[in-house]
Amino acid sequence: MRDEQPVYFDPAFRFYFGGQGAWQVFHHKDVQRVLSDYEVFSNEYMPKSDDNLLGSNLNQTDPPRHRQLRALVTKAFSPSIVSKMESWIRKECNELLEPHLQKGEMNFVKACSIPLPGRVTAQLLGVPNQDHDQVNAWINAISSDLAVIGMDAYFQAQQEMGKLFMTLLEERSKQPRADLISHLLQAEIDGEKLSLPDILAFCIALLIAGNETTNGFLANAMYTFATLPAVQAHLATNIKDLPSALNEVLRYEPPVQSMCRIATMDVELGGQHIKKGDLMNVWLTAANRDPSVFTDPDTFKINRDNIKMVSFGHGPHYCIGAMLARMEAKIAFEIIFEKMKNIQLKPGQAPIRNPSTIVAGFLDLPIVFEQK
């Protein structure tokens, strides 16, 4: 598609929020333009309604409102805060992996890549431990393919998650703690505090973005390392190259496949006439393997220069949690390569990929390994 129809209208394409019909964008330069030019390609594409809490979250606003909302939460993802979580994340990783080491096998998604990001974002927000499994189920429903789960399940998950956060917001308004929910309750924009719907939308958006994408990142990294034994062998003796290898995983198998925008005016892109109100779907996966930007793009190269990859987005909506996601993955695989070797996909038990056009990851990833 990138070679033959780099900007193509697909009338049957369905989005997770119910929208149908969209321009599919595949070239790196066009993907970058759509993601960065918010005045022409707006991020406020989702219908706003009382049922759809996500319609007003941080990800669904453009500057200047987006800039104000982003400033409120940037503090929670600052290098100093993220670095303070390092020892806690290391402890959580060890705790998740320990029960499986002697057995020499695990379903990596169920054992590690789902629970770890869930615990990290819950720690940031202040969600009680006993609610983690239920929250993960809601997140899965909200980010699944609507053609599979249906609109009712999508909205029900939002509403149920909203009830949990309303309870937490009421508790924190009476007794603030050192968590992001308390911070958002006290934060102000131009002298005004955030509304409860704004805070609710942000909390849900953070859980989805923080959990689903990092789960995909971890699972895609494990799949890549398990199926590329030469890369795995290199990292086993050159752990200093792990950050570079994980960076290449982000380009090679990005956890987010595509992003949506809506045209605010008639515009030409890639020789096609886009009309005001048309939905756009830009493919990060295609942009990350554009041979005009990345030499030999289908080959995994540990020390490749990936400065132009778009795995965390591009422009004003660049992923606010990118540093945290990188740290989670680095810690997880430092521990994995310290305790495990000869990691392979489990014979006779094929991995099951996530059926989503948004999040690229796995529902099941059975692996076998030797304990070090």
Side-chain angles (χ1 to χ4, degrees):
M1 294 302 294
R2 193 178 49 231
D3 292 341
E4 297 175 14
Q5 290 181 287
V7 179
Y8 162 78
F9 189 77
D10 179 358
F13 188 85
R14 281 179 64 93
F15 290 96
Y16 67 98
F17 55 88
Q20 182 169 336
W23 290 96
Q24 309 296 321
V25 183
F26 299 95
H27 266 165
H28 185 277
K29 63 179 174 60
D30 293 333
V31 167
Q32 276 198 332
R33 182 187 169 191
V34 173
L35 292 179
S36 59
D37 191 353
Y38 62 86
E39 291 182 339
V40 177
F41 303 104
S42 170
N43 214 43
E44 297 182 11
Y45 54 82
M46 194 181 291
K48 295 187 184 336
S49 70
D50 292 339
D51 284 340
N52 193 11
L53 292 172
L54 288 176
S56 60
N57 78 76
L58 175 67
N59 296 334
Q60 291 295 312
T61 57
D62 291 319
R65 176 69 173 172
H66 175 267
R67 203 174 294 120
Q68 294 171 321
L69 288 172
R70 191 178 178 100
L72 292 181
V73 297
T74 297
K75 192 161 42 175
F77 294 94
S78 66
S80 60
I81 298 293
V82 169
S83 62
K84 282 178 185 173
M85 294 187 72
E86 184 168 351
S87 60
W88 181 85
I89 294 173
R90 197 169 293 278
K91 175 181 73 69
E92 295 296 310
C93 280
N94 275 304
E95 188 178 294
L96 289 169
L97 294 170
E98 193 61 38
H100 307 279
L101 294 177
Q102 288 192 341
K103 291 185 287 188
E105 65 175 87
M106 72 172 84
N107 182 335
F108 184 72
V109 170
K110 301 287 196 297
C112 185
S113 73
I114 284 179
L116 180 61
R119 292 184 184 189
V120 172
T121 47
Q123 176 82 352
L124 273 174
L125 280 165
V127 176
N129 291 344
Q130 67 266 23
D131 293 318
H132 289 181
D133 288 343
Q134 180 59 71
V135 167
N136 275 326
W138 288 328
I139 292 165
N140 188 54
I142 292 170
S143 58
S144 290
D145 186 343
L146 284 186
V148 176
I149 69 160
M151 290 295 292
D152 288 345
Y154 169 77
F155 285 120
Q156 183 180 344
Q158 279 200 50
Q159 295 305 310
E160 290 178 358
M161 195 185 290
K163 288 177 186 174
L164 168 67
F165 277 105
M166 279 304 296
T167 302
L168 293 175
L169 286 166
E170 288 169 10
E171 291 174 0
R172 296 301 190 276
S173 63
K174 295 170 186 170
Q175 289 185 305
R177 298 185 190 176
D179 56 37
L180 190 51
I181 292 177
S182 300
H183 170 66
L184 290 171
L185 278 166
Q186 295 159 16
E188 294 183 354
I189 296 179
D190 296 335
E192 290 187 19
K193 292 198 171 184
L194 285 173
S195 69
L196 287 183
D198 276 343
I199 298 175
L200 269 178
F202 176 77
C203 290
I204 294 175
L206 177 64
L207 275 167
I208 295 168
N211 284 17
E212 282 294 298
T213 56
T214 309
N215 167 18
F217 182 14
L218 292 168
N220 291 350
M222 176 56 83
Y223 179 83
T224 301
F225 298 150
T227 54
L228 297 176
V231 172
Q232 186 183 148
H234 176 88
L235 293 174
T237 54
N238 298 273
I239 200 64
K240 70 180 189 309
D241 288 336
L242 180 60
S244 297
L246 290 170
N247 209 38
E248 174 70 340
V249 168
L250 285 167
R251 182 200 68 85
Y252 189 74
E253 293 282 0
V256 178
Q257 297 197 77
S258 65
M259 291 181 175
C260 179
R261 295 292 187 268
I262 188 168
T264 62
M265 61 184 77
D266 289 3
V267 64
E268 187 174 299
L269 184 74
Q272 299 289 343
H273 181 66
I274 315 294
K275 293 180 181 176
K276 179 180 179 179
D278 284 356
L279 291 168
M280 316 292 297
N281 192 59
V282 300
W283 289 92
L284 310 187
T285 42
N288 277 350
R289 295 202 185 197
D290 190 329
S292 70
V293 178
F294 303 98
T295 306
D296 198 10
D298 296 330
T299 301
F300 188 96
K301 297 179 181 179
I302 291 177
N303 293 306
R304 182 191 294 273
D305 177 6
N306 281 328
I307 195 166
K308 291 186 178 179
M309 72 177 179
V310 290
S311 306
F312 286 118
H314 184 72
H317 286 91
Y318 184 84
C319 177
I320 200 168
M323 183 185 296
L324 181 59
R326 289 180 189 277
M327 187 174 76
E328 286 180 58
K330 177 176 177 288
I331 292 170
F333 281 95
E334 280 175 353
I335 294 170
I336 286 165
F337 288 126
E338 177 189 317
K339 297 178 182 286
M340 297 155 56
K341 63 180 181 179
N342 194 24
I343 305 167
Q344 302 174 48
L345 301 182
K346 187 174 182 179
Q349 204 166 331
I352 301 174
R353 288 192 177 269
N354 188 28
S356 170
T357 56
I358 308 167
V359 180
F362 293 86
L363 298 178
D364 288 295
L365 184 57
I367 59 169
V368 293
F369 54 89
E370 296 172 35
Q371 184 177 9
K372 280 190 178 178

